[in-house]
Coordinates of all heavy atoms in Angstrom, one line a residue:
R1 N 117.5 -6.6 59.7 CA 117.9 -6.5 61.1 C 119.1 -5.5 61.2 O 119.1 -4.8 62.3 CB 118.3 -7.9 61.6 CG 117.1 -8.9 61.7 CD 117.6 -10.3 61.9 NE 116.4 -11.2 62.1 CZ 116.5 -12.5 62.0 NH1 117.7 -13.1 61.7 NH2 115.4 -13.3 62.2
N2 N 119.9 -5.6 60.3 CA 121.1 -4.6 60.4 C 120.6 -3.2 60.3 O 121.1 -2.2 61.0 CB 122.1 -4.8 59.3 CG 122.8 -6.2 59.4 OD1 122.8 -6.8 60.4 ND2 123.4 -6.6 58.2
N3 N 119.6 -2.9 59.4 CA 119.2 -1.5 59.3 C 118.4 -1.1 60.6 O 118.5 0.1 61.1 CB 118.2 -1.4 58.1 CG 118.9 -1.4 56.8 OD1 120.1 -1.0 56.7 ND2 118.2 -1.9 55.8
A4 N 117.7 -2.0 61.2 CA 116.9 -1.7 62.4 C 117.9 -1.4 63.6 O 117.7 -0.5 64.4 CB 116.0 -2.9 62.8
E5 N 119.0 -2.2 63.6 CA 120.0 -1.9 64.7 C 120.6 -0.5 64.5 O 120.8 0.2 65.5 CB 121.1 -3.0 64.6 CG 122.1 -2.9 65.7 CD 123.1 -4.0 65.6 OE1 123.0 -4.9 64.8 OE2 124.1 -3.9 66.4
R6 N 120.9 -0.2 63.3 CA 121.4 1.2 63.0 C 120.4 2.3 63.4 O 120.8 3.5 63.6 CB 121.9 1.4 61.6 CG 123.3 0.8 61.3 CD 123.8 1.1 59.9 NE 123.1 0.4 59.0 CZ 123.5 -0.8 58.5 NH1 124.5 -1.4 58.9 NH2 122.7 -1.4 57.6
A7 N 119.1 1.9 63.3 CA 118.1 2.9 63.7 C 117.8 2.8 65.2 O 116.8 3.4 65.6 CB 116.8 2.6 62.9
W8 N 118.7 2.3 66.0 CA 118.6 2.1 67.4 C 117.3 1.4 67.8 O 116.8 1.7 68.9 CB 118.6 3.5 68.1 CG 119.8 4.3 67.7 CD1 121.2 3.9 67.9 CD2 119.9 5.6 67.2 NE1 122.0 4.9 67.4 CE2 121.2 6.0 67.0 CE3 118.9 6.5 66.8 CZ2 121.7 7.1 66.5 CZ3 119.3 7.7 66.3 CH2 120.6 8.0 66.1
L9 N 116.9 0.3 67.1 CA 115.7 -0.4 67.4 C 116.2 -1.8 67.9 O 117.0 -2.4 67.2 CB 114.8 -0.5 66.2 CG 114.2 0.8 65.7 CD1 113.4 0.6 64.4 CD2 113.3 1.5 66.7
T10 N 115.7 -2.3 69.0 CA 116.1 -3.5 69.4 C 115.3 -4.7 68.8 O 114.3 -4.4 68.1 CB 115.9 -3.6 71.0 OG1 114.5 -3.3 71.3 CG2 116.7 -2.6 71.7
A11 N 115.8 -5.9 69.0 CA 115.2 -7.0 68.3 C 113.7 -7.2 68.8 O 112.9 -7.8 68.0 CB 116.0 -8.3 68.6
D12 N 113.4 -6.8 70.0 CA 112.0 -6.9 70.5 C 111.1 -5.8 70.0 O 109.9 -5.8 70.2 CB 111.9 -7.1 72.0 CG 112.5 -5.9 72.7 OD1 113.1 -5.0 72.0 OD2 112.4 -5.8 73.9
T13 N 111.6 -4.8 69.3 CA 110.8 -3.7 68.7 C 110.1 -4.2 67.5 O 109.0 -4.0 67.2 CB 111.7 -2.5 68.5 OG1 112.3 -2.1 69.7 CG2 110.8 -1.3 68.0
I14 N 110.9 -4.7 66.6 CA 110.5 -5.3 65.3 C 110.9 -6.7 65.2 O 112.1 -7.0 65.4 CB 110.9 -4.5 64.0 CG1 110.7 -3.0 64.2 CG2 110.3 -5.1 62.8 CD1 111.3 -2.2 63.0
R15 N 110.0 -7.6 64.9 CA 110.4 -9.0 64.7 C 110.5 -9.3 63.2 O 109.5 -9.4 62.5 CB 109.4 -10.0 65.3 CG 109.8 -11.4 65.4 CD 108.8 -12.2 66.3 NE 107.7 -12.8 65.3 CZ 106.4 -12.6 65.6 NH1 106.1 -11.8 66.5 NH2 105.6 -13.1 64.7
F16 N 111.8 -9.5 62.7 CA 112.1 -9.9 61.4 C 112.3 -11.4 61.3 O 113.2 -11.9 61.9 CB 113.3 -9.1 60.8 CG 112.9 -7.7 60.5 CD1 113.6 -6.7 61.3 CD2 112.0 -7.2 59.5 CE1 113.4 -5.3 61.1 CE2 111.8 -5.9 59.3 CZ 112.5 -4.9 60.0
E17 N 111.6 -12.1 60.4 CA 111.8 -13.6 60.2 C 111.8 -13.9 58.8 O 111.1 -13.3 57.9 CB 110.7 -14.3 61.0 CG 110.7 -14.1 62.6 CD 109.6 -14.9 63.3 OE1 109.0 -15.7 62.5 OE2 109.5 -14.7 64.4
V18 N 112.4 -15.1 58.5 CA 112.4 -15.7 57.2 C 111.0 -16.4 57.1 O 110.7 -17.2 58.1 CB 113.5 -16.7 56.9 CG1 113.3 -17.3 55.5 CG2 114.8 -15.9 57.0
G19 N 110.2 -16.1 56.2 CA 108.8 -16.7 56.1 C 108.2 -16.4 54.8 O 108.6 -15.5 54.0
D20 N 107.2 -17.3 54.5 CA 106.5 -17.2 53.1 C 105.2 -16.5 53.4 O 104.4 -16.9 54.3 CB 106.2 -18.7 52.7 CG 105.7 -18.7 51.2 OD1 105.0 -17.7 50.8 OD2 106.0 -19.7 50.5
A21 N 104.9 -15.4 52.7 CA 103.7 -14.7 52.8 C 102.4 -15.6 52.6 O 101.3 -15.2 53.2 CB 103.7 -13.5 51.8
R22 N 102.5 -16.7 52.0 CA 101.4 -17.6 51.7 C 101.1 -18.5 52.8 O 100.1 -19.2 52.8 CB 101.6 -18.3 50.5 CG 101.7 -17.5 49.2 CD 102.3 -18.3 48.0 NE 103.7 -18.6 48.2 CZ 104.6 -19.0 47.2 NH1 104.1 -19.2 46.1 NH2 105.8 -19.3 47.5
E23 N 101.9 -18.4 53.9 CA 101.7 -19.4 55.0 C 101.8 -18.8 56.4 O 101.7 -19.4 57.4 CB 102.9 -20.4 54.9 CG 102.9 -21.2 53.6 CD 104.1 -22.1 53.5 OE1 104.9 -22.1 54.5 OE2 104.2 -22.9 52.5
I24 N 101.8 -17.4 56.5 CA 102.0 -16.8 57.8 C 100.6 -16.7 58.6 O 99.6 -16.7 58.0 CB 102.6 -15.4 57.6 CG1 101.6 -14.5 56.7 CG2 103.9 -15.4 57.0 CD1 102.1 -13.1 56.5
Q25 N 100.8 -16.5 59.8 CA 99.7 -16.4 60.8 C 99.6 -14.9 61.3 O 100.6 -14.2 61.4 CB 99.8 -17.4 62.0 CG 99.8 -18.8 61.6 CD 98.5 -19.3 61.0 OE1 97.4 -18.9 61.5 NE2 98.6 -20.1 60.0
A26 N 98.4 -14.5 61.6 CA 98.2 -13.2 62.1 C 98.7 -13.1 63.5 O 98.4 -13.9 64.4 CB 96.7 -12.8 62.1
P27 N 99.5 -12.1 63.9 CA 100.0 -11.9 65.2 C 99.0 -11.3 66.2 O 99.2 -11.2 67.4 CB 101.2 -10.9 65.0 CG 100.8 -10.1 63.8 CD 100.0 -11.0 62.9
A28 N 97.8 -10.9 65.7 CA 96.7 -10.3 66.6 C 95.4 -10.5 65.7 O 95.4 -10.8 64.6 CB 97.0 -8.8 66.8
D29 N 94.3 -10.2 66.4 CA 93.0 -10.4 65.8 C 92.6 -9.2 64.9 O 91.6 -9.2 64.2 CB 91.9 -10.6 66.8 CG 91.8 -9.4 67.8 OD1 92.6 -8.4 67.7 OD2 90.9 -9.6 68.7
H30 N 93.3 -8.1 64.9 CA 93.2 -7.0 64.0 C 94.4 -6.3 63.8 O 95.4 -6.4 64.6 CB 92.0 -6.1 64.5 CG 92.5 -5.3 65.7 ND1 92.5 -5.8 66.9 CD2 92.9 -4.1 65.8 CE1 93.0 -4.9 67.8 NE2 93.2 -3.8 67.1
G31 N 94.6 -5.5 62.7 CA 95.7 -4.6 62.5 C 95.8 -4.3 61.1 O 94.8 -4.3 60.2
W32 N 97.0 -3.9 60.6 CA 97.3 -3.4 59.3 C 98.3 -4.2 58.6 O 99.4 -4.6 59.3 CB 97.8 -1.9 59.3 CG 96.7 -0.9 59.2 CD1 96.3 -0.2 58.1 CD2 95.9 -0.4 60.3 NE1 95.3 0.8 58.4 CE2 95.1 0.6 59.8 CE3 95.8 -0.8 61.7 CZ2 94.1 1.3 60.6 CZ3 94.9 -0.1 62.4 CH2 94.0 1.0 61.9
I33 N 98.1 -4.5 57.4 CA 99.2 -5.0 56.5 C 99.5 -3.9 55.5 O 98.6 -3.5 54.7 CB 98.7 -6.3 55.8 CG1 98.4 -7.4 56.8 CG2 99.9 -6.8 54.8 CD1 97.8 -8.6 56.1
V34 N 100.7 -3.5 55.5 CA 101.2 -2.5 54.5 C 102.4 -3.0 53.9 O 103.4 -3.3 54.6 CB 101.4 -1.1 55.2 CG1 101.9 -0.1 54.2 CG2 100.2 -0.6 55.9
T35 N 102.5 -3.2 52.6 CA 103.5 -3.9 52.0 C 103.8 -3.5 50.6 O 103.1 -2.8 49.9 CB 103.3 -5.4 52.0 OG1 104.4 -6.2 51.6 CG2 102.1 -5.7 51.1
N36 N 105.1 -3.8 50.2 CA 105.6 -3.5 48.8 C 106.0 -4.8 48.2 O 107.2 -5.2 48.2 CB 106.8 -2.5 48.9 CG 107.5 -2.3 47.6 OD1 106.9 -2.3 46.5 ND2 108.8 -2.1 47.6
P37 N 105.1 -5.6 47.7 CA 105.5 -7.0 47.2 C 106.2 -6.8 45.8 O 106.3 -5.8 45.2 CB 104.0 -7.6 47.0 CG 103.2 -6.5 46.7 CD 103.7 -5.3 47.5
P38 N 106.8 -8.0 45.4 CA 107.6 -8.0 44.2 C 106.6 -7.7 43.0 O 105.5 -8.3 43.0 CB 108.2 -9.3 44.1 CG 107.4 -10.2 45.0 CD 106.9 -9.3 46.1
Y39 N 107.1 -6.9 42.0 CA 106.3 -6.7 40.8 C 107.3 -6.2 39.7 O 108.4 -5.8 40.1 CB 105.2 -5.7 41.1 CG 105.6 -4.4 41.7 CD1 106.0 -3.3 41.0 CD2 105.4 -4.3 43.1 CE1 106.3 -2.1 41.7 CE2 105.7 -3.1 43.8 CZ 106.2 -2.0 43.0 OH 106.5 -0.8 43.7
G40 N 106.8 -6.2 38.5 CA 107.7 -5.7 37.4 C 108.8 -6.6 37.2 O 108.7 -7.8 37.2
E41 N 110.0 -6.0 37.2 CA 111.3 -6.7 36.9 C 111.7 -7.7 38.0 O 112.5 -8.6 37.8 CB 112.4 -5.9 36.5 CG 112.2 -5.1 35.2 CD 113.3 -4.1 34.9 OE1 114.3 -4.1 35.7 OE2 113.3 -3.4 33.9
R42 N 111.1 -7.4 39.2 CA 111.5 -8.2 40.3 C 110.9 -9.7 40.3 O 111.3 -10.5 41.1 CB 111.1 -7.5 41.7 CG 111.7 -6.3 41.9 CD 111.0 -5.5 43.0 NE 110.9 -6.2 44.2 CZ 110.1 -5.9 45.2 NH1 109.2 -4.9 45.1 NH2 110.2 -6.5 46.4
M43 N 110.0 -9.9 39.4 CA 109.3 -11.1 39.4 C 109.0 -11.7 38.0 O 108.6 -11.0 37.1 CB 107.9 -10.9 40.1 CG 107.3 -12.1 40.5 SD 105.9 -11.6 41.6 CE 105.2 -13.2 42.0
A44 N 109.1 -13.0 37.9 CA 108.8 -13.6 36.6 C 107.3 -13.6 36.4 O 106.6 -13.9 37.4 CB 109.4 -15.0 36.5
T45 N 106.9 -13.3 35.2 CA 105.4 -13.1 34.9 C 104.7 -14.4 35.2 O 103.5 -14.4 35.8 CB 105.2 -12.7 33.5 OG1 106.0 -11.5 33.3 CG2 103.7 -12.5 33.2
E46 N 105.2 -15.6 34.9 CA 104.5 -16.8 35.1 C 104.2 -17.2 36.5 O 103.4 -18.0 36.9 CB 105.2 -17.9 34.4 CG 106.6 -18.2 34.8 CD 107.7 -17.4 34.1 OE1 107.2 -16.5 33.3 OE2 108.8 -17.7 34.0

């Protein structure tokens, strides 16, 4: 949210929320998911 504000983007331009990727709902009936999930050292193997 802080980075978006410095990029002159208002809160209604991007919605950032605390949430679990395993429980989220689609905001529309079609679209794109583009993501950089945790991997390597960022995540325990188990």
Side-chain angles (χ1 to χ4, degrees):
R1 290 171 177 164
N2 292 341
N3 287 333
E5 183 177 353
R6 277 187 291 268
W8 304 305
L9 300 173
T10 59
D12 57 353
T13 303
I14 307 176
R15 192 172 86 239
F16 288 114
E17 296 183 6
V18 177
D20 192 327
R22 296 165 289 191
E23 300 173 358
I24 59 178
Q25 299 292 319
D29 59 2
H30 71 282
W32 270 259
I33 299 172
V34 180
T35 191
N36 174 34
Y39 50 84
E41 296 180 359
R42 296 166 61 198
M43 194 170 183
T45 304
E46 58 270 17

